Amino acid sequence: MTGRAARLVIDDVRVSFGGVRALDGVSFAVEPGQIVGLIGPNGSGKTTLLDVVSGQLRPSSGRIVLDDEDLVDYLPADRSATGLVRSFQDCRLYPELSVEETVMVAFDGRRRTGVLSTTLRLPGARRAEAEKRDKVDGLLSSLGLTRFRRHQVAELSTGTRRVVDLACILAAEPRLLLLDEPTAGIAQREAEAFGPLLRRLHAVTGATILLVEHDVPLTVALCDRLVVMEAGRVVSAGPPQDVLEDPAAIAAYLGASHEALARSGAAATT
Amino acid sequence: MVAFSIPAWTVVAGLVNGLGYGLLALGLVLIYRSNRVLNFAHGQLGVTSAVLLSKLVVDLGINYWPALVFVLIVAAVIGAGTELILRRLFDRPRLLVMVATIGLSQVLFLLTLAPFIRPKTAASAYPLPFHSGFTIGNGLAAHHFTGADVLTLIVAPLAALALAVFFARSPHGLAMRAMAENADSARLAGVWVRRTSTLAWVIAALLSAVTAILAAPAKGNGFVEVLGPDLLLRALAAALIGAMTSLPIAFAAGIGIGVFEQVMAWNVHSDPALQTIMFAVLIAALLVRVRGLRTGARDEERSSWRFGVAGRMAGAGGVEALRRQVGWAGVALAIGAAAVLPALVSQGRAFLLSRIFVFAVIAVSITVLTGWAGQLSLGHFGLVAVGAIVASRLAPHWPLPLVLMVAGLMSAAVAILVGLPALRIKGLYLAVSTLAFALLMQTAVLNTPCWKSPLFGFHACTGLPDPASQYIARPSIFGISLVSERAFAWFALAVLVVVLGIVRVWRDHGLARAFVAVRENEIGAAAMGIRVARTKLLAFALSGFLAGVAGVCFALVTQRFKADAFSASQSILVVSMVIIGGLGSVQGAVLGAVYLIGLPAAFGSGVTTQFATSGIGLLVFILYLPGGLAAVLTKLGDAVTGFLASPSEDVLPAADIVEVVTS
């Protein structure tokens, strides 16, 4: 299910809420197949930027270019059709649907369900539904979710919900993946397991990944490049080791960085 | 058509009505500000006091003023008591609380029927402190204003002023706003949330009582319906123009709507046209104001019903399969019983069975729209009416299956139109616009066989051919006559079973899981490529199709019906059905229809028993049994399964998933 990795260009994006400039001319590119980490203090505009890229929020100016397509006028669902897939910080999913149905919905987004053919149970609709179900079965078993398939999402722990979210992402066959704090709200032990998991996700999908994450060691260990934001601007960008030593990045986010560096060094070798 | 004119008396008459709308709007805004609830019981909160005032003054001969003080105290007590009941629901979805207020208004209505409140002499005039009126104009154009009108012109502005002074001079206004934004934070900041909430409800009840006492004389003594849905809608429009937050704007808007309505009524000369204009005003207010309403009120838009989480058997495969078999056996048993029943009972009872089956179809169509897609419709009988119109025009000429299809498609098309605002308006406000749609159907469309445009001489026949009383002969289907009640009951059951089968397919084989996904998490579903607008409109269309099919059956059951048969209260009744049955559950919708149509009939049909079963039922189920009758059924099924299952098949423990994935 490897899709062709996409190149993302964020070009001079500006967003204002009332008088506050949430994004003040953000520009950077994510090369195909790279994992880029977006870090910065709370309120620096990271999630706002993801919202602009995935279409939840319309920028007042600027362009979002995926390969050669300018996405700014696209609805979220249309962006998803170009292979742009995102996860959400709260990982809410659909509390009342079962795990199986939740992943089915991700397939529904790829392939429209015919009203008349489904109602009359025509062979075409039956086959499409059976194919979706097979794919879901395969995904669930490869992620170890089979026993949860009939559980409602609301019954799951946050960690399990994140794995279901991964299943949905895989189902959507991403070319560009936006991940918003995938380790938020889960236990430290589970968070540590996420590094290898994300690497596997990257290997399996072959997608370009833009990752927002507060866990600096994890981000440093995973990413090809880091982008540091502060107050709606990019203050530093480059390979992780360069950024960690960049005074601007240290002032904006990393703070007294020796401790962070030490911890990231430890994590990077695991 | 004469030239547009604004005589002085229309403005004063409009002012009298508008002050009433304004007072109601004040109460609605007050409750919305403090609890974020659209209070459908607002009108009914004070009606008890108004009825009691008449009892005290006319029946018992007590002086007006002490009687007035006493009934206002009664109103305050009712307000406080209401808050006490609804307090249990304040962390539940707002839509559900709104439906609870509908149940509450029905219970309050029952209270006004109690012999110790209702006056014996219903024919006598409503008590007034004075009777001096005045006249504007002379000769044929003269218009007399009664003492009741004078009283309104004096008291309503005073009441509004008193409220304004109260909010300006006391810290409660700020406390109420803080509480509405975030009850927990307000509590930490030292706001006594319970007392503030109670205070809001007491003030609202007092306002409602004043409104009802002012409005009662004009309506004679039949004032139990004084504050009906049409009045409530005008008040809602005023409150919405005030963005549900501004008391002065809402009050002024109420007056404006009153004057506008009178002036238009004087110039338009046609009630349907007037109703259409008022509908347009409401929709315009909604669309203009909706942006302001949406900021800061994010929680209410996440309308997860959170039902049915408990009581699921998440067990090993064997038990699960057995549980499913038990479920199917139950369904087969129920359908079998329903199929045998018409043969065993009298023709009259068979008619009742037909009604239950038809209402079950309507309830199922609401389950699709409200239970799954989360779009609360308070105007579903407007869609049923479309089906009935099609039946009245086509059933005598076309074969019945074709009529059912055409009615379904027409109704689906109308439903898509009704659903279009849903792309911009959400939750509570959508419910208001659907209610307005149902009123429009009842008062303007059904009553008007044909519209003609005065400018183009264009005719469009959309209403009932004869709105006063429509008769439709039951046609035959596949050569079988449906004239006998028994035959028709079987036909209605067959329609219900087919509908249940279709709905099952929608839910289990692909279409409806997107509805639920969009309801639960619109942004997330859109990011996964689900087209939100298409999904919502599809839910409206599918629900409308079923409502149209039900409309044909509805027309053919009663055979003789009037436009009044499609009132807003009918729409509310079917919403009560799905909530009592268990929102989102198809079996529940059917059970709800059995309960709300069958039970009152068992005690002799009438408005009283209807309201008693639906009103009390709604409150009891929302407060104590949120899963509804369907949850009871689920528990029963689980118990039977537990009894049949061998004890060795036990439930797998839930393991830590991340370990499984990464190891």
Side-chain angles (χ1 to χ4, degrees), chain B residues 234 260-261 264-265 268 270-279:
Chain B
R234 280 154 179 67
F260 177 78
E261 188 184 16
M264 290 313 284
V268 173
S270 138
D271 194 43
L274 180 66
Q275 297 289 346
T276 312
I277 290 169
M278 297 313 285
F279 175 72

Side-chain angles (χ1 to χ4, degrees), chain B residues 286-304:
Chain B
L286 276 168
L287 287 175
V288 171
R289 275 300 185 182
V290 77
R291 197 166 295 219
L293 294 165
R294 278 164 75 168
T295 53
R298 289 205 162 173
D299 321 63
E300 73 191 348
E301 292 174 19
R302 295 199 151 177
S303 54
S304 184

Side-chain angles (χ1 to χ4, degrees), chain A residues 78 92 95-96 108 150, chain B residues 320 506 513 520 531 656 661:
Chain A
D78 297 324
R92 199 167 125 56
E96 233 176 80
D108 288 342
R150 289 197 187 277
Chain B
E320 212 175 280
W506 287 345
R513 62 182 170 246
E520 297 267 299
R531 272 148 228 283
D656 189 345
V661 173

Side-chain angles (χ1 to χ4, degrees), chain A:
Chain A
M1 53 170 69
T2 313
R4 193 167 49 81
R7 178 169 191 267
L8 172 72
V9 176
I10 295 167
D11 181 18
D12 196 27
V13 167
R14 289 166 200 274
V15 171
S16 306
F17 296 123
V20 183
R21 285 190 189 151
L23 294 179
D24 194 7
V26 174
S27 301
F28 63 88
V30 185
E31 298 304 326
Q34 278 194 337
I35 305 182
V36 170
L38 192 56
I39 58 176
N42 283 327
S44 59
K46 305 183 298 290
T47 298
T48 308
L49 185 62
L50 286 201
D51 283 348
V52 169
V53 175
S54 64
Q56 265 74 47
L57 196 67
R58 212 189 145 78
S60 40
S61 70
R63 295 189 312 149
I64 302 293
V65 183
L66 195 73
D67 292 336
D68 297 323
E69 262 178 299
D70 187 351
L71 300 184
V72 164
D73 294 328
Y74 285 27
L75 290 171
D78 297 324
R79 296 185 194 212
S80 160
T82 67
L84 190 159
V85 174
R86 82 169 280 186
S87 76
F88 289 86
Q89 206 171 338
D90 59 0
C91 193
R92 199 167 125 56
L93 297 173
Y94 323 109
E96 233 176 80
L97 287 182
S98 71
V99 169
E100 189 180 31
E101 284 176 317
T102 301
V103 185
M104 295 283 270
V105 167
F107 281 110
D108 288 342
R110 294 273 145 250
R111 192 167 166 181
R112 188 174 283 194
T113 319
V115 179
L116 203 61
S117 57
T118 303
T119 307
L120 300 176
R121 308 226 58 205
L122 297 179
R126 279 172 186 255
R127 211 178 312 120
E129 183 78 1
E131 275 169 23
K132 278 183 199 169
R133 210 169 281 271
D134 284 346
K135 284 188 193 166
V136 170
D137 284 349
L139 264 179
L140 292 184
S141 74
S142 74
L143 288 170
L145 286 170
T146 304
R147 81 181 66 170
F148 294 100
R149 55 186 286 181
R150 289 197 187 277
H151 284 246
Q152 284 183 317
V153 170
E155 298 170 69
L156 307 178
S157 74
T158 309
T160 314
R161 272 215 319 276
R162 295 235 177 253
V163 181
V164 176
D165 200 21
L166 284 184
C168 294
I169 289 167
L170 288 171
E173 295 175 23
R175 297 169 57 227
L176 170 69
L177 187 52
L178 311 175
L179 298 173
D180 194 358
E181 295 197 33
T183 64
I186 65 176
Q188 179 66 32
R189 187 173 56 82
E190 290 176 314
E192 280 164 13
F194 249 84
L197 195 62
L198 286 180
R199 252 195 216 103
R200 262 183 59 189
L201 183 69
H202 186 229
V204 170
T205 61
T208 311
I209 295 180
L210 181 59
L211 170 74
V212 170
E213 184 53 69
H214 271 301
D215 188 333
V216 175
L218 178 70
T219 319
V220 168
L222 274 173
C223 294
D224 301 310
R225 279 166 63 85
L226 290 185
V227 174
V228 185
M229 286 184 66
E230 189 191 18
R233 290 167 167 279
V234 174
V235 293
S236 177
Q241 289 312 320
D242 298 356
V243 168
L244 288 180
E245 283 158 23
D246 182 353
I250 292 168
Y253 184 56
L254 300 170
S257 64
H258 299 294
E259 200 182 325
L261 274 173
R263 279 180 58 221
S264 68
T269 54
T270 53

Side-chain angles (χ1 to χ4, degrees), chain B residues 468-495:
Chain B
S469 174
Q470 188 68 41
Y471 177 79
I472 307 181
R474 286 179 190 162
S476 302
I477 185 165
F478 306 130
I480 306 163
S481 164
L482 297 178
V483 172
S484 97
E485 295 299 344
R486 257 182 214 128
F488 196 84
W490 276 312
F491 166 71
L493 177 65
V495 171

Side-chain angles (χ1 to χ4, degrees), chain B residues 52-88:
Chain B
L52 188 61
L53 181 67
S54 171
K55 168 94 172 172
L56 294 177
V57 176
V58 177
D59 276 14
L60 305 178
I62 297 170
N63 182 286
Y64 186 84
W65 298 106
L68 181 66
V69 171
F70 178 73
V71 299
L72 288 180
I73 294 172
V74 169
V77 171
I78 288 176
T82 306
E83 197 272 343
L84 209 59
I85 294 172
L86 291 181
R87 184 179 290 169
R88 289 177 56 100

